[in-house]
Amino acid sequence: MRWIELGEGVFARRYEHLDQTLGLVVGAERCLVVDTGGDEVQGAEFAAAIREITTAPWLVVLTHAHFDHHFGTKPFQPCPVWAHERCGPAMGADRATWVANFRRQHEHERAQRLLEAELVPPTHVLTGEVSLDLGGRKVTLLHPGPGHTDHDVAVDVPDAQVLFAGDLVEQGAPPSIGPDSHVEDWPHALDGLLARDPATVVPGHGEPVDAAFVRRQRDELRRS
Ligand SMILES: [Zn+2]
């Protein structure tokens, strides 16, 4: 695990497992946690790492309902949990599949952790976009339309020109197209993110990238 500082008080935390990337935006009064990881052990590790950076109260935003993005929420409780309105109903649907995947890969401890993780539903939902004041800094949670799922939420941090894209963007691997993805609409969702003019885009998996990388990924999706 390692932190990458992307701007003042804006961080990505990288994990070897699934090449995952979680996020943190620190304001004067609150900090925003972008995704919480795939189980409570990862969530607790992430929470402790955040506490070495800031003591500000946190709120959580979930980029989407896939297991690796939200089953680490319990260690952050109690706190507000933001997500798209369609995220809550979709949460947990992939748990059994991934428990089986991990068992097949002889990752029994990881399978058990996922099996035991508490599903923490969102407390606050959005449909289009919402602006949150973290104290001296505003961030926007936005749903750019269907893409990786029908309920992706990105986080724009305009004062740092950083945008957390969830799995709408992947670095190190092609975008993850699943049965719940909307491939035809996905390029349009990426246009919505690019319209925010980010200098740095943080993918849900892989290293932070620039806007040119996102444009290339959009064009590849358009051809697929
Ligand atoms: Zn995903």
Side-chain angles (χ1 to χ4, degrees):
M1 291 81 81
R2 63 189 167 90
W3 285 112
I4 304 172
E5 190 165 5
L6 302 164
E8 208 188 317
V10 185
F11 300 87
R13 188 161 180 81
R14 299 277 289 118
Y15 291 82
E16 204 172 312
H17 181 63
L18 303 176
D19 197 20
Q20 193 170 15
T21 309
L22 306 177
L24 173 69
V25 185
V26 183
E29 288 161 31
R30 281 170 285 281
C31 66
L32 179 68
V33 177
V34 185
D35 287 339
T36 59
D39 60 42
E40 291 173 17
V41 172
Q42 187 183 8
E45 184 280 335
F46 186 35
I50 292 169
R51 279 292 170 254
E52 287 180 15
I53 290 178
T54 177
T55 55
W58 45 43
L59 44 142
V60 164
V61 58
L62 305 175
T63 60
H64 63 296
H66 291 159
F67 83 98
D68 46 327
H69 299 265
H70 72 85
F71 270 118
T73 302
K74 184 74 204 292
F76 290 89
Q77 293 292 290
C79 72
V81 178
W82 280 90
H84 188 273
E85 65 174 353
R86 282 190 289 273
C87 184
M91 284 163 71
D94 59 351
R95 176 172 4 209
T97 303
W98 278 91
V99 167
N101 284 349
F102 289 142
R103 285 192 178 138
R104 240 190 334 271
Q105 295 157 10
H106 303 284
E107 293 209 62
H108 294 287
E109 204 183 303
R110 201 179 289 284
Q112 197 60 26
R113 287 185 343 217
L114 177 54
L115 195 64
E116 287 169 4
E118 187 175 315
L119 196 160
V120 180
T123 58
H124 296 66
V125 295
L126 65 130
T127 52
E129 64 176 69
V130 65
S131 177
L132 300 179
D133 189 348
L134 302 180
R137 126 177 284 170
K138 280 195 175 144
V139 298
T140 302
L141 315 184
L142 63 131
H143 170 60
H148 175 64
T149 67
D150 68 357
H151 58 266
D152 302 291
V153 170
V155 180
D156 187 19
V157 190
D159 64 18
Q161 274 194 284
V162 175
L163 190 138
F164 292 88
D167 287 3
L168 284 166
V169 175
E170 278 203 43
Q171 184 277 336
S176 171
I177 298 171
D180 54 348
S181 296
H182 295 255
V183 184
E184 279 185 18
D185 301 317
W186 197 331
H188 179 72
L190 292 182
D191 279 333
L193 301 189
L194 289 163
R196 322 280 309 192
D197 197 25
T200 306
V201 176
V202 185
H205 303 269
E207 293 286 320
V209 297
D210 59 11
F213 179 97
V214 178
R215 277 193 288 273
R216 284 196 298 277
Q217 202 152 74
R218 173 200 60 194
D219 294 343
E220 281 164 31
L221 279 162
R222 212 169 257 157
R223 282 192 293 270
S224 69

